[in-house]
Amino acid sequence: MKRKLAAGIAVVVVAGAATAGMLVFTQTQSQAGDAAASELPPSTAKVSRQTLNDAREADGELGYGTTTTVSNRLPGTLTFVPDGDARIARGQPLYKVDDKPVTLMYGSMPAYRDLADGAEGPDVRQLEENLRDLGYTGFTVDDEFTSATATAVTNWQEDQGLDETGVVELGRVVFADGEVRVDTVEAKQGEPAQPGQKVLTHTGVAKAITVELEPADQRLAKKDTEVRIELPDGKEITGRVDEVSTIIQPAEGQGQEASTKVEVIVAFDDQQAAESYALASVDVTFTADKRENVLTVPVAALLALAEGGFGVEVVEGTATRYVPVKTGLFADGRVEITGDGLAEGTVVGVPK
């Protein structure tokens, strides 16, 4: 049965509204609060004061975080490859070609060219920072590869058992953010080494959690946001979002579409708390936003105003009036509101 309303006000259900029960109303009177309905709404709820959390729990895999593939760039024969789970630090060989090391150094920029006297750029500075930290001196750490840099490179090459050319050939050094853990070994000792050949994959050495979220939940995963982690034994600890990336997963079969996931790497605040676990499934709770001590109503109580914004229908005995509101956080089927005269316990209509 259609509701009869006071003169000058019309209420209709919004077709396809994102929130069930949301209504649109228009009015010709100057103030919404003066309008009264001649019939009570079919259902009511009370305004409550509470804490709202926009949170979600997701499954996570405890491991070592993002995996990176190392591909060979040098011709020859693989004469050494590390074991899985090996830890490799700055200055140590990741693998060897023709018994000459491919060395790990630290930095975010991948090697992409030979580095020699006259080269300039941030990759030169990255190399020089590593040479300095490995104990080589006599040059200035900057963006310029000078003859002094070449001398330091020659000394480094001598210590590594390399040809002393003063030139760092492409493929002789692999850069990573820090110490690495070998995850898988893709090639075998004694195999021909070919440019582009996958040799191994590595991760960081710190325990981390990998979580896959739907794109709609990306708001939950902002870098450095604190999360709660429940370990397999039920213990709860904290962590922080360390990396967020979008992953396109190819279609698995004909006629299917590729899918998009948000991959989140969560770092532990306390590494010791996860030390006893190798690989395990954990529960991760993300909180995008939180509002403490706010007035809330069920989302279904909101009315969408034709002139813009939202309102609620306040029930006072046998009459009702419409009060415009400002909305805040939406969570758990409720919404934070503020409006004139609204207080904890105020009764509002909930349309069907």
Side-chain angles (χ1 to χ4, degrees):
M1 181 179 68
K2 295 183 179 179
R3 297 179 57 199
K4 297 178 181 179
L5 302 177
I9 300 179
V11 181
V12 295
V13 175
V14 179
T19 303
M22 188 176 292
L23 304 180
V24 166
F25 71 86
T26 60
Q27 64 181 56
T28 58
Q29 299 179 12
S30 59
Q31 293 185 354
D34 295 335
S38 61
E39 184 178 319
L40 295 177
S43 180
T44 62
K46 288 185 178 181
V47 176
S48 65
R49 185 174 294 278
Q50 64 186 103
T51 296
L52 281 185
N53 280 307
D54 179 12
R56 181 178 170 232
E57 185 177 287
D59 294 332
E61 291 298 324
L62 173 60
Y64 291 90
T66 304
T67 299
T68 301
T69 299
V70 174
S71 297
N72 177 59
R73 292 177 177 269
L74 304 172
T77 300
L78 287 168
T79 53
F80 165 77
V81 291
D83 295 328
D85 206 44
R87 268 61 168 176
I88 299 173
R90 187 198 332 251
Q92 296 178 338
L94 276 170
Y95 61 96
K96 292 183 180 181
V97 176
D98 291 347
D99 205 31
K100 296 179 180 179
V102 173
T103 302
L104 177 69
M105 290 189 179
Y106 296 167
S108 59
M109 176 174 283
Y112 67 94
R113 59 173 176 168
D114 292 346
L115 293 178
D117 194 356
E120 295 184 8
D123 54 340
V124 173
R125 176 182 292 273
Q126 184 172 261
L127 173 68
E128 290 179 338
E129 288 172 344
N130 279 273
L131 290 172
R132 176 199 62 200
D133 292 341
L134 288 169
Y136 297 96
T137 60
F139 59 93
T140 301
V141 175
D142 55 20
D143 290 348
E144 297 182 9
F145 195 119
T146 64
S147 59
T149 307
T151 298
V153 168
T154 299
N155 293 334
W156 170 74
Q157 290 172 326
E158 180 181 8
D159 293 339
Q160 294 285 306
L162 301 171
D163 295 338
E164 298 168 28
T165 62
V167 177
V168 181
E169 61 183 320
L170 179 60
R172 185 57 64 191
V173 170
V174 172
F175 290 98
D177 290 337
E179 184 179 355
V180 302
R181 165 192 164 271
V182 176
D183 189 55
T184 62
V185 180
E186 306 288 336
K188 294 181 180 179
Q189 182 176 327
E191 288 183 346
Q194 301 174 0
Q197 175 187 17
K198 292 181 180 179
V199 179
L200 56 84
T201 64
H202 66 75
T203 67
V205 297
K207 291 286 180 67
I209 297 170
T210 302
V211 182
E212 279 193 355
L213 297 176
E214 296 297 329
D217 293 325
Q218 187 163 0
R219 74 188 187 285
L220 297 169
K222 302 296 184 184
K223 186 171 174 61
D224 295 328
T225 299
E226 183 176 290
V227 302
R228 288 189 295 108
I229 303 160
E230 184 177 344
L231 296 173
D233 62 2
K235 181 181 179 180
E236 288 195 356
I237 59 175
T238 59
R240 295 191 177 274
V241 174
D242 188 47
E243 299 177 31
V244 181
S245 56
T246 300
I247 306 296
I248 307 298
Q249 298 177 336
E252 295 181 357
Q254 188 175 2
Q256 296 182 341
E257 296 183 354
S259 61
T260 301
K261 298 290 184 181
V262 176
E263 184 177 82
V264 183
I265 305 299
V266 174
F268 288 95
D269 287 341
D270 178 10
Q271 277 288 315
Q272 295 299 318
E275 192 61 33
S276 60
Y277 297 97
L279 301 175
S281 295
V282 297
D283 293 325
V284 182
T285 301
F286 296 86
T287 301
D289 204 351
K290 183 177 182 179
R291 294 285 192 276
E292 296 183 352
N293 196 33
V294 294
L295 295 178
T296 75
V297 295
V299 173
L302 285 181
L303 308 173
L305 309 185
E307 62 271 27
F310 297 99
V312 293
E313 185 177 10
V314 174
V315 179
E316 297 171 325
T318 59
T320 69
R321 61 188 176 91
Y322 296 100
V323 177
V325 298
K326 291 184 178 180
T327 60
L329 181 64
F330 287 74
D332 299 326
R334 300 187 69 86
V335 57
E336 172 191 358
I337 61 167
T338 56
D340 290 342
L342 296 179
E344 186 176 6
T346 299
V347 178
V348 297
V350 181
K352 288 187 177 178

